[in-house]
Amino acid sequence: MHAGTAALIDMDWSTFDPLHTQGLRHTLTDHPLLQPDQLVALGKRFQGSSHLFTFNNTAGADANFDDVARLYPNRRSVTDTLQGINEAKAWMLLRHVQADPTYRALVDFVLDSVKSQVEEKDPGMYYRAGWIFIASPHTVTPFHIDRNHGMLLQIHGTKKVYVWDAEDLDVCSEQARECFHSRHELDKVKWDESFRERAHVFEVSPGMGVYIPITCPHMVETGDDPSITISLTYSTEATRRNAMEHVLNDLLRSKGLKPPRVGSHPLLDRLNYFGAAAVIAMHGQGSHPPACPSLAHRTAYAVAD
Ligand SMILES: [Fe+2]
């Protein structure tokens, strides 16, 4: 942090490791775009689009994100949910808020402020996105993995954020990551209560947050108050390589081979990377193996998918 000026995001950059989770502090709590009235307005603008994702809070840590909206529907309207979040017993996500010009400026405001520090260790930031989570008290974000690095910033209420190391293959296997990167399936990312005791646990309140690296499993529980959280995510050259190597390993495994773990053989990873790049170039996104658009195209901002 610079003397006299508070950084938007304050992390210990000397110990920052792109592949390891870390707590942080931020100064976004009072930002006008993150207050309830502005979020209701954004929710209305997103109404009827894929920018909204919601479920009711009977879903537990073991729910599959791919099925959660169908199995645990939130029958309240967007406005009712957001205005009455204290009683709504619901979880609502405003996805890809960078599609809205006002919120794109907020995503850039935050990520521009950390870009140089991030890129000292993890160059090539691209595919920026913003996600805003509004959740009732005592609501669980199911156990899952994400395909990019993310900085989760708590704005209102409290949360308990559980994060597991990517190296902990008993919690999430390499095969689970391969399926996820290749087909975006979470079927092999399975919750078990015994995982809790080996998690990094961050109890966050407004002004606090957590850096969560690519495919580090996580699960979140809100506290006694409604919660507002924004997460800023991005890809880098390294996340792109990591995802592509998993895509190719998935292909090799489908041919009956047993590829070594990504990261265990740097030379093989390099070959895998070029192999995956060729496969993705041949097939394009949306075909087999389907690739996240971030692999086929290095766009500045994530595309809603
Ligand atoms: Fe996540």
Side-chain angles (χ1 to χ4, degrees):
M1 200 191 298
H2 301 293
T5 56
L8 274 182
I9 292 187
D10 184 15
M11 276 173 59
D12 183 350
W13 295 106
S14 67
T15 59
F16 171 61
D17 176 342
L19 296 180
H20 285 98
T21 189
Q22 185 173 345
L24 58 85
R25 291 196 170 265
H26 69 86
T27 57
L28 271 288
T29 304
D30 296 321
H31 195 286
L33 290 178
L34 299 174
Q35 307 312 309
D37 56 337
Q38 288 298 308
L39 297 177
V40 170
L42 180 63
K44 283 181 181 166
R45 295 205 288 282
F46 280 170
Q47 207 149 17
S49 76
S50 64
H51 289 285
L52 291 174
F53 184 82
T54 184
F55 54 87
N56 74 57
N57 78 351
T58 60
D62 60 346
N64 183 329
F65 244 110
D66 294 336
D67 301 325
V68 75
R70 181 174 57 82
L71 296 180
Y72 305 94
N74 169 23
R75 303 198 190 280
R76 293 187 180 218
S77 71
V78 181
T79 310
D80 279 358
T81 301
L82 294 176
Q83 284 178 336
I85 193 66
N86 195 31
E87 297 84 30
K89 298 188 174 178
W91 187 102
M92 180 165 272
L93 168 60
L94 305 175
R95 306 172 70 242
H96 288 292
V97 302
Q98 75 282 357
D100 185 280
T102 319
Y103 282 83
R104 175 174 291 195
L106 174 61
V107 169
D108 284 337
F109 179 58
V110 180
L111 289 180
D112 283 347
S113 79
V114 291
K115 186 170 188 280
S116 63
Q117 286 113 321
V118 167
E119 291 195 330
E120 273 182 32
K121 293 179 176 169
D122 197 6
M125 180 188 283
Y126 74 105
Y127 212 65
R128 295 174 171 200
W131 315 75
I132 300 175
F133 306 89
I134 299 106
S136 299
H138 308 296
T139 298
V140 175
T141 306
F143 180 67
H144 69 283
I145 55 179
D146 292 316
R147 65 187 91 143
N148 294 301
H149 296 323
M151 291 186 183
L152 192 134
L153 314 180
Q154 188 65 7
I155 304 298
H156 185 88
T158 59
K159 273 184 165 174
K160 214 169 182 178
V161 184
Y162 298 77
V163 186
W164 288 265
D165 291 327
E167 296 87 0
D168 194 339
L169 300 183
D170 292 332
V171 170
C172 180
S173 69
E174 278 295 90
Q175 253 175 296
R177 286 192 175 81
E178 290 163 11
C179 290
F180 177 68
H181 279 302
S182 199
R183 292 180 293 285
H184 293 168
E185 288 171 6
L186 285 166
D187 303 20
K188 290 187 166 63
V189 181
K190 294 268 191 214
W191 169 249
D192 190 296
E193 276 296 328
S194 68
F195 293 166
R196 281 182 195 268
E197 61 196 33
R198 52 215 280 190
H200 300 274
V201 182
F202 301 90
E203 298 201 33
V204 297
S205 53
M208 300 172 75
V210 186
Y211 169 75
I212 303 178
I214 180 172
T215 66
C216 277
H218 49 286
M219 186 274 284
V220 182
E221 296 166 336
T222 59
D224 294 334
D225 296 312
S227 169
I228 299 174
T229 311
I230 183 167
S231 176
L232 292 312
T233 62
Y234 56 88
S235 299
T236 65
E237 285 169 26
T239 66
R240 178 180 162 86
R241 273 200 305 276
N242 179 287
M244 288 169 95
E245 288 154 11
H246 280 99
V247 167
L248 196 67
N249 274 3
D250 180 67
L251 194 66
L252 296 173
R253 217 180 281 275
S254 74
K255 306 288 179 211
L257 300 168
K258 289 189 178 153
R261 187 185 171 210
V262 167
S264 60
H265 291 83
L267 183 61
L268 201 63
D269 283 345
R270 201 83 195 124
L271 291 173
N272 264 359
Y273 174 65
F274 289 118
V279 169
I280 290 165
M282 269 190 306
H283 293 271
Q285 65 192 71
S287 56
H288 185 80
C292 171
S294 69
L295 304 187
H297 304 289
R298 248 183 264 213
T299 52
Y301 300 97
V303 292
D305 48 8

